[in-house]
Amino acid sequence: KQEVTQIPAALSVPEGENLVLNCSFTDSAIYNLQWFRQDPGKGLTSLLLIQSSQREQTSGRLNASLDKSSGRSTLYIAASQPGDSATYLCAVLEGGATNKLIFGTGTLLAVQP
Amino acid sequence: KAGVTQTPRYLIKTRGQQVTLSCSPISGHRSVSWYQQTPGQGLQFLFEYFSETQRNKGNFPGRFSGRQFSNSRSEMNVSTLELGDSALYLCASSLVSGRETQYFGPGTRLLVL
């Protein structure tokens, strides 16, 4: 059974700092991995999607990497801003005929001005 | 292009009642998935619909059901509500399969008293 873990559960950093969020999964037979952001009481905003054949994806100040063999992904946020404060979730899509995302428990990020 | 919309945004019901939630996917998207988010269990997959057919189902009791219409809009129904059904219900849409980016709506917050 696939399990997705995110470390740390919470993180507080001063504005301007670069930071890394971690995501690990137990079964490497995934089709893709997606990073989301969730603001309090809101839905999920897709940040980056990495297909299983890819090693990394970049969007602006965000860079996500994927190492399928070790079951790990990282989300790197450069030059953090207070507006980056949110919960960050990673989710894996298992291979096969399924649309089911399996989510991690999230990292609550607070960027202090 | 309009995003995923969900109605209603907030609902208060009492135990034993039933509720219907609605999700309109992004135009052109044919796959709609539903998730339940609670503080204790995190995000859990309920079911997925594609071309009016349930393609996948999560581990939830039969009180949870859904359907999809020919225009890809989807509804989910929860009968005989229990206190534990209080949650944020999110739907996600994607073009055909979850192999593309899945886009989430703002959610419906259900409170069962």
Side-chain angles (χ1 to χ4, degrees):
Chain A
K1 180 189 168 188
Q2 179 76 267
E3 291 183 1
V4 183
T5 306
Q6 290 186 247
I7 295 174
L11 181 64
S12 179
V13 300
E15 182 177 3
E17 195 161 294
N18 302 325
L19 58 101
V20 174
L21 307 181
N22 296 292
C23 172
S24 61
F25 46 95
T26 54
D27 188 343
S28 62
I30 65 168
Y31 198 88
N32 63 39
L33 184 145
Q34 200 164 349
W35 282 93
F36 296 91
R37 162 191 177 136
Q38 186 174 33
D39 293 287
K42 302 283 182 68
L44 277 61
T45 300
S46 177
L47 297 174
L48 289 164
L49 171 71
I50 311 177
Q51 302 292 352
S52 62
S53 58
Q54 297 175 317
R55 296 286 291 184
E56 65 179 275
Q57 281 286 344
T58 298
S59 176
R61 295 182 294 108
L62 305 179
N63 176 278
S65 68
L66 174 64
D67 184 342
K68 250 184 53 168
S69 60
S70 68
R72 292 182 187 177
S73 175
T74 61
L75 179 66
Y76 175 83
I77 302 177
S80 58
Q81 303 170 356
D84 294 330
S85 298
T87 296
Y88 290 80
L89 294 149
C90 69
V92 299
L93 183 74
E94 295 184 310
T98 175
N99 229 12
K100 176 183 174 181
L101 286 171
I102 300 174
F103 282 86
T105 47
T107 294
L108 177 60
L109 173 66
V111 181
Q112 309 299 332
Chain B
K1 205 180 238 189
V4 179
T5 58
Q6 292 187 245
T7 57
R9 295 293 312 280
Y10 304 93
L11 267 178
I12 300 176
K13 293 286 187 179
T14 56
R15 278 180 298 175
Q17 287 187 308
Q18 75 165 17
V19 67
T20 299
L21 312 181
S22 180
C23 171
S24 293
I26 292 171
S27 177
H29 284 195
R30 294 167 62 191
S31 169
V32 174
S33 299
W34 288 88
Y35 292 83
Q36 181 196 66
Q37 186 177 31
T38 59
Q41 299 297 318
L43 272 152
Q44 292 185 287
F45 174 81
L46 280 157
F47 28 62
E48 183 223 348
Y49 287 88
F50 177 79
S51 291
E52 302 178 64
T53 301
Q54 188 180 85
R55 193 156 64 174
N56 287 294
K57 189 178 191 308
N59 189 25
F60 278 82
R63 301 184 296 107
F64 291 82
S65 63
R67 59 178 176 169
Q68 186 179 36
F69 302 95
S70 58
N71 62 358
S72 293
R73 189 177 70 86
S74 177
E75 289 181 346
M76 67 163 281
N77 183 277
V78 188
S79 62
T80 319
L81 284 166
E82 301 177 359
L83 295 179
D85 297 333
S86 295
L88 180 66
Y89 290 88
L90 295 162
C91 82
S93 80
S94 60
L95 273 170
V96 175
S97 73
R99 299 174 183 187
E100 315 93 14
T101 299
Q102 295 196 41
Y103 297 91
F104 281 75
T108 294
R109 173 122 1 234
L110 172 64
L111 178 61
V112 182
L113 301 176

